[in-house]
Amino acid sequence: MSLLKFGIVSLLFQARAAVGAALAAPTIKLDNGVFTGTVASSNTQSFLGIPFALPPIGNLRLNLPVPNAPYNGSFTATAIGLACPQQAIDLPILTGLPSEVVDDVVNSIFGIVFPDSEDCLTINVIKPATATSTSKLPVLAWIFGGGFELGSTEMYDGTALVERSIALGEPIVYVSMNYRVSAFGFMPGKEVRAAGVGNLGLQDQREALRWVQKYITAFGGDPTKVTIWGESAGAISVSLQMLANGGDTEGLFRGGFMQSGSPVPVGPIENGQKYYDAMVEQTGCSGAADTLACLRTVPYAQFKAAQNASPGIFAYQSLVLAWLPREDGVFLTDNPQLLIQQGKVANVPIVTGDCDDEGTLFSLSTVNITTDAQFLTYIKQFWLPEATDAQGAQLNSVYPSDLPDGSPFNTGLLNGLTPQFKRIAAFQGDAVFQAPRRFFQNALSGKQNMWAFLNSRLKAVPLLGSFHGSDILQVYDEVGSELMDSVINFAVNLNPNGHTLPNWPQWTTKTPNMLQLLDGLIATTITQDTYRAAGMQFLANITLEFPI
C-alpha cells in the first residue's frame, strides 16, 4: 500500500475548496470577526488557517505564545496556514530493490517539507454542516508528528473522520493545530531555562487548546468534551500535556489517544546545551551580552540555516534528537518518568499503542554498524555514555544480535540489511516507543481507564515491517477501519469500543490486554502486553537513570 497520498493531501483540500466555492460559503462569528470557510463535503464544513496566537516573530521568536486580541473584521478561512519553520531532512542513502520501498515510505512520511513561515500559529476546524452553537458535540483535537522537527496540519485532512462520525451516529468536531518545531519550538540550554521559554512547541499546543475552550462552541463543539489525539511526536505531546501543571488539565481536555508515543525519557534542558551553543555561534551571536535576545534578531534565513546544520531525525545519532521536549522547570518540572512516578499525571482515560516495528525506519542511518563491538560503541556514544560495562553486557544479553530476535519482529532471518540492523531497530523501537508506553501504563494501572493496541499490519514491507507511522493509514485513509472507529468512539464516549469493533478489554497490570491489528482474514485479536519483558524492563530502568 502506497503512502504517496500524504504528498497530495493539500491538493484534496484545494479540490474541496473549489467545490465549496460553488456552494454557499459558511460563516462563523468569533468575537466581532466573521470567518468565511468552505463546504468540505456534502455533510461537512471547514474553517482553515485561523490564527490562534500572535505571529511568533521579532521579539516573540523564542518566546511564549501570546493569544490574539479579540477578532474584529472579516477573515477568509479557506486554506491551511503555512507550516512552522521546518528542518531540512537528509534521507538515508540505500541501493537496490529495498531502497525503492524505503524511499517511498520515508519520502512520504518524513521527506515532505511543507512551505513554511514564522507566522504559523493557526488552527483548523472541520464540523458537521448541521452543527450549530447549541449542538455541544465532542471535539477531537489532532496534534501531528514529525520528530519535533517538521510537520504540518496540511498533511492531515480530517473530513473523512467527521463524515464517518456522522455515519456512525456519533458526530464530532475535528480540530488540528500548528505548533513550532525544531530550534524555533524546542530550543534547549541554560539560557532558555533562565528566561522560562522552554518547550515552546508544547506551549503552542496548550494555547491552541485554550483557543478551543474559548471558541469551539461557535462551531458546534462542547469545550467540556475535548479529546487530544496524536501520533509519534504528536502522541508524545499528548502524553506531556497530561504531565504539565502537575497533571492539572485546566479543563482543556478529558481524554488522550496516543499512537506511537508516550512520555519519553528525557532529562534537563541543559542536556541540549551544545545545540544552543552551536546556534549562537553559527548565527554570529557569540559576542552578545544576551545571546537569547540576539537570536531573536537574527534574519530568518540565517536562523533557519543554522537550525538545518544540526542533526536531523535521519542523522547518525537518529532518535537521540537535537530538538525535543526536555525538563525546563515550567512546562515540565522534572524528567517525565519521574513525574509519572510522583503521580503528577492527568487522571483521564487514555488509549495508547505502538506499531510492531517502531525502530526500523530510524535505523537506516546506521547501516555501517556491522559488529557487536560497533553496536555497543554506538549505544555508549549516543544513548548511554555514562553506563557501566556491566550495563552494557546486560544490554548485549537482552537485545542480542541474532537476526530472529530483531525487528522487523517475527520475520526470522529475513530483513537483515546488515548483521546489526534488526538489533538496532529492536533497541531503538523499544527504547523510545514500546518501553516508555509500558512504563506509563504500569504506573497508571488502577488509577484510570486504559486501552492499548499493537499495530502489526503491513508486516510484509521489506526491511521495515509494521513500521513507524503505518497505523496513520488506518485513521486518515481507511474509512471504517478499527482505529478510525475507535478514535471516534473514544472522543464521544471515552471508550474505544463500539458496535463496529470487536470487544476491546481494558489494559491493567493484572491483565495487560492489547488489541492487535493483523494482516489477513483474521484482522484482530486480543494479545497480552508481555513480549520482550526483560529487555523493556532493562530499558525502562537504564533510561530512567540516564535520560537523554
Side-chain angles (χ1 to χ4, degrees):
M1 183 183 298
S2 174
L3 298 184
L4 291 178
K5 182 180 178 185
F6 279 143
I8 60 172
V9 165
S10 60
L11 297 179
L12 297 180
F13 274 112
Q14 294 171 26
R16 288 194 175 104
V19 172
L23 303 173
T27 60
I28 290 286
K29 185 177 181 181
L30 307 178
D31 302 321
N32 290 316
V34 177
F35 290 79
T36 300
T38 62
V39 176
S41 68
S42 59
N43 294 316
T44 64
Q45 299 171 345
S46 295
F47 296 84
L48 310 174
I50 301 173
F52 68 82
L54 295 180
I57 59 179
N59 195 49
L60 292 184
R61 178 194 285 173
L62 301 180
N63 244 319
L64 297 173
V66 178
N68 286 312
Y71 298 112
N72 188 39
S74 299
F75 300 85
T76 300
T78 58
I80 296 285
L82 292 174
C84 290
Q86 309 279 283
Q87 179 157 348
I89 296 296
D90 293 322
L91 299 176
I93 298 174
L94 300 172
T95 58
L97 180 61
S99 69
E100 297 177 13
V101 177
V102 171
D103 285 350
D104 183 25
V105 171
V106 174
N107 276 289
S108 297
I109 295 181
F110 290 98
I112 302 172
V113 178
F114 294 95
D116 58 14
S117 168
E118 281 195 89
D119 183 359
C120 62
L121 297 184
T122 58
I123 197 164
N124 313 293
V125 181
I126 302 175
K127 62 181 280 292
T130 58
T132 69
S133 59
T134 61
S135 296
K136 295 188 180 299
L137 301 180
V139 179
L140 186 61
W142 169 252
I143 304 174
F144 62 77
F148 299 106
E149 294 180 2
L150 71 165
S152 166
T153 58
E154 188 175 357
M155 199 170 181
Y156 306 95
D157 182 358
T159 304
L161 276 156
V162 178
E163 286 272 15
R164 178 61 176 171
S165 75
I166 295 169
L168 290 173
E170 298 180 328
I172 63 169
V173 174
Y174 171 92
V175 172
S176 61
M177 66 199 75
N178 273 344
Y179 61 96
R180 283 172 284 181
V181 294
S182 202
F184 291 84
F186 293 94
M187 184 72 76
K190 62 181 185 295
E191 296 85 354
V192 173
R193 179 190 295 277
V197 294
N199 293 313
L200 293 177
L202 299 178
Q203 295 280 12
D204 293 343
Q205 296 164 15
R206 200 83 170 182
E207 189 60 42
L209 293 173
R210 294 188 185 102
W211 184 96
V212 169
Q213 288 298 302
K214 186 173 182 179
Y215 293 113
I216 205 62
T217 300
F219 299 89
D222 187 338
T224 70
K225 296 180 179 178
V226 177
T227 294
I228 52 176
W229 165 47
E231 185 269 343
S232 191
I236 294 170
S237 296
V238 168
S239 73
L240 297 181
Q241 294 294 343
M242 292 176 62
L243 300 182
N245 298 326
D248 180 3
T249 68
E250 303 177 78
L252 298 177
F253 57 92
R254 66 169 188 166
F257 200 111
M258 290 156 275
Q259 295 180 229
S260 299
S262 303
V264 283
V266 291
I269 201 166
E270 291 81 5
N271 280 9
Q273 188 69 47
K274 64 182 179 181
Y275 303 114
Y276 179 91
D277 294 343
M279 288 291 296
V280 168
E281 180 179 354
Q282 292 169 26
T283 56
C285 286
S286 298
D290 185 338
T291 55
L292 188 58
C294 179
L295 287 173
R296 295 189 178 111
T297 68
V298 171
Y300 173 66
Q302 185 181 357
F303 190 99
K304 194 176 178 186
Q307 166 193 275
N308 289 344
S310 67
I313 199 167
F314 288 110
Y316 188 54
Q317 66 195 62
S318 192
L319 290 175
V320 184
L321 300 175
W323 317 105
L324 79 172
R326 292 180 170 94
E327 177 273 311
D328 65 334
V330 178
F331 195 93
L332 295 175
T333 57
D334 210 334
N335 173 342
Q337 261 69 4
L338 295 178
L339 290 174
I340 293 168
Q341 289 183 332
Q342 295 160 18
K344 296 179 180 179
V345 184
N347 187 8
V348 298
I350 65 170
V351 177
T352 182
D354 296 298
C355 296
D356 208 12
D357 301 304
E358 293 283 1
T360 51
L361 267 179
F362 306 110
S363 301
L364 299 171
S365 60
T366 54
V367 294
N368 63 320
I369 299 173
T370 59
T371 69
D372 290 355
Q374 290 172 342
F375 168 76
L376 288 175
T377 297
Y378 174 78
I379 297 300
K380 190 166 181 62
Q381 179 181 359
F382 292 109
W383 287 88
L384 303 168
E386 299 177 61
T388 65
D389 290 342
Q391 288 169 322
Q394 189 175 356
L395 175 63
N396 221 11
S397 173
V398 293
Y399 285 90
S401 59
D402 297 335
L403 290 179
D405 292 322
S407 179
F409 296 109
N410 303 312
T411 59
L413 297 175
L414 300 176
N415 299 302
L417 181 60
T418 74
Q420 298 289 321
F421 171 75
K422 293 184 72 173
R423 180 192 205 182
I424 296 172
F427 166 80
Q428 290 208 110
D430 284 356
V432 176
F433 300 100
Q434 296 272 12
R437 176 197 54 76
R438 189 177 289 171
F439 179 92
F440 194 38
Q441 292 197 269
N442 276 324
L444 300 187
S445 181
K447 299 177 181 178
Q448 53 216 81
N449 294 337
M450 291 185 290
W451 291 264
F453 69 88
L454 179 66
N455 176 49
S456 298
R457 290 180 178 164
L458 299 183
K459 199 68 180 179
V461 175
L463 296 181
L464 302 180
S466 300
F467 56 90
H468 179 80
S470 58
D471 55 329
I472 285 295
L473 290 167
Q474 299 173 50
V475 287
Y476 277 99
D477 280 8
E478 298 178 12
V479 175
S481 72
E482 295 88 352
L483 273 181
M484 176 181 273
D485 284 4
S486 69
V487 169
I488 294 168
N489 292 338
F490 187 75
V492 175
N493 303 311
L494 295 181
N495 186 321
N497 284 283
H499 69 274
T500 64
L501 296 171
N503 180 54
W504 185 350
Q506 289 193 40
W507 191 104
T508 67
T509 51
K510 184 177 181 180
T511 54
N513 299 300
M514 304 186 84
L515 178 70
Q516 187 175 16
L517 305 166
L518 301 166
D519 295 315
L521 294 177
I522 301 176
T524 65
T525 189
I526 299 299
T527 190
Q528 297 299 295
D529 187 15
T530 55
Y531 49 91
R532 300 190 296 282
M536 287 198 216
Q537 187 60 56
F538 169 78
L539 290 177
N541 292 339
I542 200 165
T543 54
L544 185 61
E545 184 177 358
F546 306 118
I548 297 172

